[in-house]
Amino acid sequence: MVIFFCLSNLSYGGQWCKAIYPYSEEASDGKFNRQLSLCKNSDNLFISISDKYINSLQLLHASIANFCDLNRQVVKSSSQKGDESFHSVACVFKKHTLRREKN
């Protein structure tokens, strides 16, 4: 039974990468893009964007479209009003053709 679970794809956790986009007056400082560029070798992705941005949900949805494998489950959470909170998503990182191993 243990061998079955070890060889099963269900037991594969993969490598996680996170990209957090906190609120900043300098929204174009590039920190978020630098964090995402470190994710290119990861299997799973966690993205969190501050809700202080007027377009935070649009940024989150664009990030899902650009970086998540939409054929897999995408888990999205919305923030509660109050102190600074975040809109977040956890997903399987979209495999890019440059990441695929050559045979």
Side-chain angles (χ1 to χ4, degrees), residues 6-75:
C6 290
L7 297 176
S8 172
N9 286 340
L10 298 175
S11 66
Y12 178 70
Q15 186 179 21
W16 279 88
C17 183
K18 66 179 180 178
I20 311 295
Y21 196 16
Y23 183 75
S24 169
E25 297 292 330
E26 299 276 331
S28 61
D29 59 5
K31 290 181 183 177
F32 185 63
N33 288 332
R34 277 190 295 255
Q35 290 179 35
L36 284 171
S37 70
L38 298 174
C39 295
K40 62 185 172 190
N41 293 323
S42 299
D43 300 307
N44 303 305
L45 181 62
F46 174 78
I47 300 172
S48 190
I49 299 174
S50 173
D51 71 345
K52 286 189 177 181
Y53 290 108
I54 295 171
N55 61 345
S56 60
L57 279 176
Q58 288 85 354
L59 284 171
L60 185 70
H61 292 142
S63 297
I64 290 169
N66 286 327
F67 303 111
C68 294
D69 182 353
L70 300 179
N71 294 320
R72 302 290 184 102
Q73 183 177 12
V74 175
V75 179

Side-chain angles (χ1 to χ4, degrees), residues 61-94:
H61 292 142
S63 297
I64 290 169
N66 286 327
F67 303 111
C68 294
D69 182 353
L70 300 179
N71 294 320
R72 302 290 184 102
Q73 183 177 12
V74 175
V75 179
K76 188 175 100 173
S77 67
S78 296
S79 61
Q80 302 294 324
K81 294 293 180 193
D83 294 336
E84 181 179 10
S85 51
F86 291 81
H87 300 290
S88 303
V89 67
C91 65
V92 175
F93 191 75
K94 184 186 290 185

Side-chain angles (χ1 to χ4, degrees), residues 40-43 93-101:
K40 62 185 172 190
N41 293 323
S42 299
D43 300 307
F93 191 75
K94 184 186 290 185
K95 302 290 185 189
H96 192 275
T97 55
L98 296 176
R99 292 185 57 208
R100 292 189 184 140
E101 294 180 21

